[in-house]
Amino acid sequence: MAPISSGLSSARRDTLARRIRLLVAATLTYNVIEAAVALTAGTLASSAALTGFGLDSVIEVSSAAAVAWQFSASGHEAREAREKVTLRIIAFSFFALAMYLTVDALSTLTGSGEAQHSVPGIVLAAASLIVMPFLSSAQRRAGRELGSVSAVADSRQTLLCTYLSGVVLVGLLANSLLGWSWADPIAALAIAAVAVKEGRDAWRGGTCCPIPAAAAATTGTAVDCHDVGGCCP
C-alpha cells in the first residue's frame, strides 16, 4: 500500500506518532482495568456478554500493544514496514473474539446457564460508553492524518468496544429490570457479527484507502474508505 502521508513534514509525522503512542498507552491502561473488572463480574454473574466484554478488553490490550510496537520504531519507513504484521494481529484479535462470543452465547441459549444481575457490570459498561468514543476518535484522527492503516484499524477496534459497551449495558439492564436472561447471549451474538466484519476489514487493510500522490501532497490527509464508497481491494 502506498504511503498516504507523503505531504506531511517529518516533524509533523513524529508529532502524530507520539500522539498515537500516548493514546495507545491510555487505551492499554483503561482496558487492563476494564478486563479485570468485567471478567470478574462476568464470572460471578455467569454473563456471556459481560465475560465477552472482558475478553474484548484483553484483545484491545493485544491490539494496542501491537500498534505500540509498530510506533516504537524511530523512523517513518520502519513504522510502515511493521504495518502489515500489526494489521494481521488486529484481524486475528477480532476473529478470536467473534469465535468465543458465538460459542459461549449459543451454549447459554441452549440451556447450559443463565446470566445473573450484575451492578458492577452495569457501571463498567456505562463508564466505557463514555471513555471509549473519546479514545477512538482521537486515535482515528491522528492515524488518518499520518496515513497509518493500523492506527485507524486499532481505533476502530476501540470503537467496537464502544458498541459492545452499549449492547452489554442494554443486555444487563434488560436482565436486571425485566428478567430477560436471554438478552445477555443475544447481545454477545450481535457483537460477534460486528467483530467478524471488522476483522475482515483489518485483514484486507481496508480501513483507509490510498489516494493519488499528488492529492496526498496537497492535502496531507488520508481518505476513509467509507467516505468514497467502499474498501480497497
Side-chain angles (χ1 to χ4, degrees):
M1 178 177 294
I4 52 182
S5 58
S6 57
L8 298 179
S9 67
S10 177
R12 181 58 179 168
R13 286 199 299 267
D14 289 342
T15 297
L16 290 170
R18 284 194 299 271
R19 183 179 303 172
I20 290 173
R21 284 196 294 268
L22 288 174
L23 290 167
V24 167
T27 302
L28 278 167
T29 301
Y30 183 83
N31 277 288
V32 167
I33 298 171
E34 185 180 71
V37 175
L39 288 174
T40 300
T43 300
L44 293 175
S46 299
S47 169
L50 192 52
T51 302
F53 187 47
L55 288 175
D56 175 75
S57 299
V58 173
I59 293 172
E60 285 284 342
V61 170
S62 67
S63 174
V67 176
W69 168 72
Q70 178 192 350
F71 283 91
S72 66
S74 57
H76 180 61
E77 291 75 13
R79 290 193 294 267
E80 284 193 338
R82 296 183 177 185
E83 185 102 337
K84 185 174 182 179
V85 174
T86 302
L87 283 170
R88 291 292 187 262
I89 292 173
I90 293 172
F92 277 123
S93 296
F94 276 123
F95 294 143
L97 174 62
M99 181 180 298
Y100 171 81
L101 290 177
T102 299
V103 172
D104 198 39
L106 291 177
S107 177
T108 300
L109 285 171
T110 55
S112 64
E114 184 174 300
Q116 305 299 314
H117 175 68
S118 177
V119 173
I122 292 173
V123 173
L124 178 66
S128 296
L129 203 56
I130 297 171
V131 174
M132 287 302 176
F134 167 76
L135 292 174
S136 175
S137 177
Q139 184 172 332
R140 184 165 58 255
R141 288 196 302 270
R144 282 177 174 173
E145 184 177 353
L146 183 61
S148 170
V149 178
S150 61
V152 177
D154 184 60
S155 76
R156 288 172 67 85
Q157 185 156 339
T158 303
L159 187 61
L160 176 64
C161 189
T162 302
Y163 300 150
L164 181 57
S165 302
V167 173
V168 168
L169 182 59
V170 170
L172 293 177
L173 289 174
N175 187 24
S176 296
L177 301 178
L178 303 175
W180 295 353
S181 59
W182 51 264
D184 186 272
I186 292 298
L189 287 174
I191 294 301
V194 177
V196 169
K197 177 184 180 302
E198 295 298 333
R200 186 180 66 246
D201 288 347
W203 182 269
R204 292 175 177 175
T207 304
C208 284
C209 288
I211 58 178
T218 300
T219 63
T221 58
V223 176
D224 185 72
C225 291
H226 299 289
D227 294 336
V228 295
C231 286
C232 311

